[in-house]
Protein backbone atom coordinates (compact mmCIF):
# COMPACT_ATOMS: atom_id res chain seq x y z
CA UNK A 1 0.00 0.00 0.00
CA UNK A 2 1.32 3.45 -0.94
CA UNK A 3 1.18 6.02 1.85
CA UNK A 4 0.62 9.50 0.46
CA UNK A 5 2.31 12.44 2.14
CA UNK A 6 -0.19 14.71 3.81
CA UNK A 7 1.50 18.08 3.61
CA UNK A 8 0.49 21.56 2.49
CA UNK A 9 2.13 24.95 2.11
CA UNK A 10 0.30 28.27 2.31
CA UNK A 11 1.62 31.66 1.23
CA UNK A 12 -0.67 34.51 2.33
CA UNK A 13 0.30 38.15 1.87
CA UNK A 14 -1.88 41.10 2.79
CA UNK A 15 -1.28 44.68 3.87
CA UNK A 16 -1.50 43.42 7.47
CA UNK A 17 0.48 40.16 7.48
CA UNK A 18 2.90 38.18 5.34
CA UNK A 19 2.77 34.49 6.21
CA UNK A 20 4.38 31.38 4.79
CA UNK A 21 3.32 28.15 6.51
CA UNK A 22 4.06 24.49 5.85
CA UNK A 23 2.20 21.70 7.65
CA UNK A 24 2.83 17.95 7.75
CA UNK A 25 0.00 16.02 9.41
CA UNK A 26 2.22 12.96 9.87
CA UNK A 27 5.22 14.55 11.53
CA UNK A 28 7.02 14.22 14.82
CA UNK A 29 5.69 17.38 16.49
CA UNK A 30 8.37 19.86 15.47
CA UNK A 31 7.73 23.60 15.23
CA UNK A 32 9.97 26.25 13.77
CA UNK A 33 9.39 29.93 13.22
CA UNK A 34 8.10 32.95 15.07
CA UNK A 35 5.13 35.30 15.00
CA UNK A 36 6.74 37.97 17.15
CA UNK A 37 4.31 37.13 19.98
CA UNK A 38 6.12 34.94 22.49
CA UNK A 39 3.13 33.29 24.13
CA UNK A 40 1.49 32.60 20.77
CA UNK A 41 4.68 30.91 19.57
CA UNK A 42 4.60 28.83 22.74
CA UNK A 43 1.01 27.79 21.92
CA UNK A 44 1.86 26.90 18.32
CA UNK A 45 4.78 24.79 19.51
CA UNK A 46 2.47 23.00 21.97
CA UNK A 47 -0.15 22.51 19.24
CA UNK A 48 2.46 20.99 16.93
CA UNK A 49 3.92 18.70 19.59
CA UNK A 50 0.66 17.35 20.95
CA UNK A 51 -0.83 16.87 17.48
CA UNK A 52 2.40 15.32 16.21
CA UNK A 53 2.26 17.84 13.37
CA UNK A 54 5.33 19.41 11.80
CA UNK A 55 4.78 23.14 11.42
CA UNK A 56 7.14 25.61 9.78
CA UNK A 57 6.16 29.25 9.92
CA UNK A 58 7.45 32.57 8.67
CA UNK A 59 5.28 35.45 9.84
CA UNK A 60 5.57 39.20 9.72
CA UNK A 61 2.57 41.12 11.00
CA UNK A 62 1.52 44.63 11.95
CA UNK A 63 2.30 44.22 15.63
CA UNK A 64 2.65 48.00 15.90
CA UNK A 65 -1.16 48.00 15.63
CA UNK A 66 -1.84 44.98 17.86
CA UNK A 67 -1.67 41.20 17.80
CA UNK A 68 -5.09 40.58 16.25
CA UNK A 69 -4.20 40.32 12.56
CA UNK A 70 -1.19 38.11 13.22
CA UNK A 71 -3.06 35.63 15.41
CA UNK A 72 -6.14 35.45 13.19
CA UNK A 73 -4.17 35.18 9.95
CA UNK A 74 -1.97 32.38 11.29
CA UNK A 75 -5.22 30.59 12.18
CA UNK A 76 -6.49 31.17 8.63
CA UNK A 77 -3.31 29.75 7.10
CA UNK A 78 -3.19 26.79 9.46
CA UNK A 79 -6.82 25.97 8.71
CA UNK A 80 -6.20 26.16 4.96
CA UNK A 81 -3.17 23.90 5.34
CA UNK A 82 -5.16 21.32 7.31
CA UNK A 83 -7.88 21.32 4.66
CA UNK A 84 -5.38 20.84 1.82
CA UNK A 85 -3.25 18.28 3.64
CA UNK A 86 -6.20 16.05 4.54
CA UNK A 87 -7.28 16.00 0.89
CA UNK A 88 -10.53 14.25 -0.02
CA UNK A 89 -10.81 12.85 3.52
CA UNK A 90 -10.60 9.23 2.41
CA UNK A 91 -9.32 6.89 5.07
CA UNK A 92 -9.45 9.25 8.08
CA UNK A 93 -11.21 8.73 11.38
CA UNK A 94 -13.11 12.03 10.90
CA UNK A 95 -14.01 12.49 14.58
CA UNK A 96 -11.62 13.11 17.45
CA UNK A 97 -11.85 14.29 21.03
CA UNK A 98 -9.57 14.93 23.98
CA UNK A 99 -9.45 16.15 27.54
CA UNK A 100 -6.30 17.94 28.69
CA UNK A 101 -5.63 18.93 32.32
CA UNK A 102 -2.99 21.50 33.21
CA UNK A 103 -2.79 21.77 36.97
CA UNK A 104 -6.08 23.40 37.99
CA UNK A 105 -7.24 23.92 34.39
CA UNK A 106 -9.17 21.34 32.37
CA UNK A 107 -10.07 21.68 28.68
CA UNK A 108 -12.20 19.51 26.42
CA UNK A 109 -12.10 19.46 22.62
CA UNK A 110 -14.11 17.61 19.99
CA UNK A 111 -13.39 17.88 16.25
CA UNK A 112 -15.24 16.75 13.13
CA UNK A 113 -13.30 16.94 9.85
CA UNK A 114 -16.45 17.32 7.77
CA UNK A 115 -15.83 20.23 5.41
CA UNK A 116 -18.13 22.58 7.33
CA UNK A 117 -16.47 25.26 9.43
CA UNK A 118 -18.03 25.89 12.84
CA UNK A 119 -16.68 26.82 16.26
CA UNK A 120 -18.49 26.34 19.56
CA UNK A 121 -16.34 27.96 22.24
CA UNK A 122 -17.00 28.29 25.94
CA UNK A 123 -14.18 29.73 28.03
CA UNK A 124 -13.87 32.38 30.71
CA UNK A 125 -10.55 33.86 31.78
CA UNK A 126 -9.29 35.80 34.77
CA UNK A 127 -7.13 38.45 33.12
CA UNK A 128 -6.95 40.25 29.79
CA UNK A 129 -3.40 39.40 28.77
CA UNK A 130 -0.75 36.69 28.88
CA UNK A 131 2.48 38.49 28.08
CA UNK A 132 1.80 40.28 24.78
CA UNK A 133 -1.10 37.95 23.93
CA UNK A 134 -4.68 39.14 24.60
CA UNK A 135 -6.62 36.12 25.83
CA UNK A 136 -9.59 37.18 23.67
CA UNK A 137 -7.52 36.25 20.61
CA UNK A 138 -7.56 32.56 21.51
CA UNK A 139 -11.14 32.46 20.23
CA UNK A 140 -10.15 34.34 17.07
CA UNK A 141 -7.43 31.79 16.33
CA UNK A 142 -9.73 28.80 16.78
CA UNK A 143 -12.50 30.51 14.76
CA UNK A 144 -10.09 31.04 11.87
CA UNK A 145 -8.75 27.49 12.15
CA UNK A 146 -12.23 25.95 12.14
CA UNK A 147 -13.64 28.13 9.39
CA UNK A 148 -10.74 27.75 6.99
CA UNK A 149 -10.08 24.11 7.84
CA UNK A 150 -13.64 22.97 7.21
CA UNK A 151 -13.70 21.74 10.80
CA UNK A 152 -16.43 21.61 13.39
CA UNK A 153 -14.59 22.39 16.63
CA UNK A 154 -16.12 22.35 20.10
CA UNK A 155 -13.86 23.76 22.80
CA UNK A 156 -14.80 24.04 26.47
CA UNK A 157 -12.71 25.28 29.34
CA UNK A 158 -14.28 23.25 32.13
CA UNK A 159 -12.29 24.95 34.88
CA UNK A 160 -9.21 27.08 35.32
CA UNK A 161 -7.82 29.89 37.46
CA UNK A 162 -4.50 30.54 35.73
CA UNK A 163 -4.98 31.92 32.22
CA UNK A 164 -1.67 30.53 30.96
CA UNK A 165 -2.75 27.05 32.00
CA UNK A 166 -6.26 27.55 30.64
CA UNK A 167 -5.29 28.74 27.15
CA UNK A 168 -2.53 26.14 26.88
CA UNK A 169 -4.95 23.37 27.84
CA UNK A 170 -7.31 24.53 25.06
CA UNK A 171 -4.54 24.50 22.45
CA UNK A 172 -3.31 21.06 23.52
CA UNK A 173 -6.81 19.58 23.66
CA UNK A 174 -7.62 20.92 20.19
CA UNK A 175 -4.38 19.52 18.78
CA UNK A 176 -4.97 16.08 20.25
CA UNK A 177 -8.57 15.99 19.06
CA UNK A 178 -7.54 17.08 15.56
CA UNK A 179 -4.75 14.48 15.47
CA UNK A 180 -7.26 11.76 16.36
CA UNK A 181 -9.70 13.02 13.72
CA UNK A 182 -7.16 13.05 10.86
CA UNK A 183 -5.58 9.73 11.89
CA UNK A 184 -5.55 7.14 9.12
CA UNK A 185 -7.84 4.12 9.26
CA UNK A 186 -7.17 0.67 7.83
CA UNK A 187 -9.61 1.40 5.02
CA UNK A 188 -7.70 3.97 2.98
CA UNK A 189 -10.38 4.25 0.29
CA UNK A 190 -13.35 4.84 2.55
CA UNK A 191 -15.06 8.21 3.02
CA UNK A 192 -16.23 8.40 6.67
CA UNK A 193 -19.80 9.42 5.87
CA UNK A 194 -23.03 7.64 4.92
CA UNK A 195 -23.40 10.29 2.19
CA UNK A 196 -20.26 8.98 0.48
CA UNK A 197 -18.68 12.42 0.43
CA UNK A 198 -17.49 15.11 2.82
Amino acid sequence: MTVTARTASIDRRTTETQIQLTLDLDGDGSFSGSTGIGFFDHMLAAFSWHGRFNLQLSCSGDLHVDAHHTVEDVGICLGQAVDRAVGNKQGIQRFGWAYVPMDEALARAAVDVCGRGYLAYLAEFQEGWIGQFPVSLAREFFQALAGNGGLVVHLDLLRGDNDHHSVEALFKACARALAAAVARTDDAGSIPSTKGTL
Side-chain angles (χ1 to χ4, degrees):
M1 180 180 76
T2 302
V3 177
T4 305
R6 300 191 299 169
T7 63
S9 294
I10 305 295
D11 190 338
R12 186 176 194 271
R13 298 174 184 274
T14 73
T15 58
E16 298 167 342
T17 60
Q18 296 81 49
I19 298 170
Q20 293 175 299
L21 182 151
T22 299
L23 174 71
D24 182 352
L25 293 178
D26 302 307
D28 59 9
S30 67
F31 169 74
S32 63
S34 174
T35 63
I37 307 166
F39 180 76
F40 188 39
D41 293 343
H42 179 46
M43 293 302 95
L44 293 172
F47 187 91
S48 300
W49 178 259
H50 287 275
R52 309 309 288 168
F53 310 131
N54 288 356
L55 179 60
Q56 296 175 323
L57 174 66
S58 173
C59 176
S60 175
D62 57 355
L63 296 180
H64 63 284
V65 176
D66 66 11
H68 189 285
H69 299 141
T70 296
V71 173
E72 181 178 34
D73 288 7
V74 168
I76 289 171
C77 291
L78 183 57
Q80 291 174 348
V82 169
D83 185 51
R84 290 186 192 179
V86 82
N88 65 5
K89 303 176 184 66
Q90 284 184 332
I92 64 166
Q93 295 288 350
R94 179 179 170 180
F95 300 104
W97 52 90
Y99 284 82
V100 169
M102 282 201 65
D103 295 352
E104 86 297 341
L106 177 63
R108 175 179 59 204
V111 171
D112 179 7
V113 184
C114 60
R116 301 183 302 276
Y118 182 82
L119 175 69
Y121 184 87
L122 183 60
E124 294 184 4
F125 302 102
Q126 306 302 313
E127 304 291 339
W129 294 79
I130 307 170
Q132 299 301 310
F133 182 86
V135 294
S136 62
L137 291 187
R139 183 188 186 112
E140 298 300 320
F141 170 80
F142 291 118
Q143 181 69 61
L145 173 68
N148 289 272
L151 310 170
V152 171
V153 178
H154 286 250
L155 285 173
D156 297 287
L157 180 63
L158 301 178
R159 61 181 60 89
D161 296 321
N162 180 294
D163 287 348
H164 186 129
H165 294 163
S166 295
V167 174
E168 189 164 347
L170 288 168
F171 270 81
K172 289 177 177 178
C174 184
R176 286 182 170 266
L178 179 60
V182 301
R184 299 178 192 268
T185 68
D186 293 333
D187 187 358
S190 174
I191 295 287
S193 171
T194 56
K195 295 190 295 289
T197 185
L198 285 171

